[in-house]
Amino acid sequence: MKLDKIARRARILAMATLALMIVIPLAAVVVLATGGVDADTLRATYGITLMPDDPGAGPTLVWLGVEVLRLALLLWVLWCLRGWLVACARGQVFSGHTARHVQRIGAGLMALAIAHVVGNTVIIAALTWNNPVGQRSLAIGFGSTEVLLLLAAGLMTLFGWIQSEAARLSAENEGFV
């Protein structure tokens, strides 16, 4: 009974995750294509007070590259999450395969947290590079988003280890029967 409930909910969440994996990149493309990102938006998003109205091609490409990398990391985490949910929907809750998915989710969240801190620093440095000397910025920020990502990464990694141990015990129990 409980495995049926788990499987049903896991299928729903897997579909929702797949929908997110489609909607998020499409939304990013639409925002870029419709001119939703301009100098004022970048100033507000990254807390930059002094920045040229046209940062130039180089800084814009650096910004785009960092954001694409972070988006790719997010999509990879979502892909691992979807794989774990699909395995749970198939009833493979206590297998080594599903434990590896959870551990990958934890590693991906850790990489995403690091990419968030380093990425913002690189973006701010790039966007203010064309400012006059003395008005360029180098900001390293660590806030609640990064703390939550690190906490989630630690919890998912720990859960992956626990699930791996449960899979080992389950296989051992099946060997006795």
Side-chain angles (χ1 to χ4, degrees):
M1 177 67 176
K2 285 201 182 257
L3 283 180
D4 289 341
K5 248 184 187 177
I6 291 171
R8 188 174 37 250
R9 289 181 181 166
R11 269 192 290 282
I12 292 168
L13 290 172
M15 286 187 283
T17 303
L18 183 61
L20 275 176
M21 291 175 64
I22 294 168
V23 169
I24 291 173
L26 286 177
V29 168
V30 167
V31 167
L32 287 173
T34 60
V37 178
D38 58 4
D40 291 332
T41 305
L42 293 174
R43 280 187 199 100
T45 301
Y46 299 103
I48 301 170
T49 53
L50 293 172
M51 183 182 107
D53 287 333
D54 180 18
T60 303
L61 286 175
V62 168
W63 165 78
L64 185 62
V66 169
E67 290 299 342
V68 165
L69 174 69
R70 292 197 295 202
L71 179 62
L73 279 171
L74 175 63
L75 291 174
W76 184 72
V77 169
L78 289 174
W79 179 256
C80 292
L81 176 61
R82 184 189 163 282
W84 177 64
L85 290 168
V86 167
C88 289
R90 291 181 182 149
Q92 300 170 347
V93 177
F94 296 116
S95 77
H97 181 68
T98 56
R100 282 188 294 283
H101 278 297
V102 176
Q103 290 169 346
R104 287 182 191 132
I105 294 167
L109 289 172
M110 179 66 72
L112 198 56
I114 293 167
H116 201 270
V117 172
V118 173
N120 279 355
T121 302
V122 169
I123 287 171
I124 291 170
L127 292 176
T128 61
W129 187 255
N130 290 331
N131 286 354
V133 175
Q135 293 181 350
R136 296 176 185 152
S137 296
L138 180 64
I140 300 171
F142 196 83
S144 60
T145 301
E146 293 81 15
V147 169
L148 286 174
L149 280 171
L150 288 172
L151 194 60
L155 288 172
M156 289 304 291
T157 303
L158 178 63
F159 180 65
W161 291 337
I162 291 169
Q163 195 169 12
S164 179
E165 183 63 18
R168 186 188 66 75
L169 290 173
S170 178
E172 186 178 302
N173 285 341
E174 285 179 17
F176 288 130
V177 175

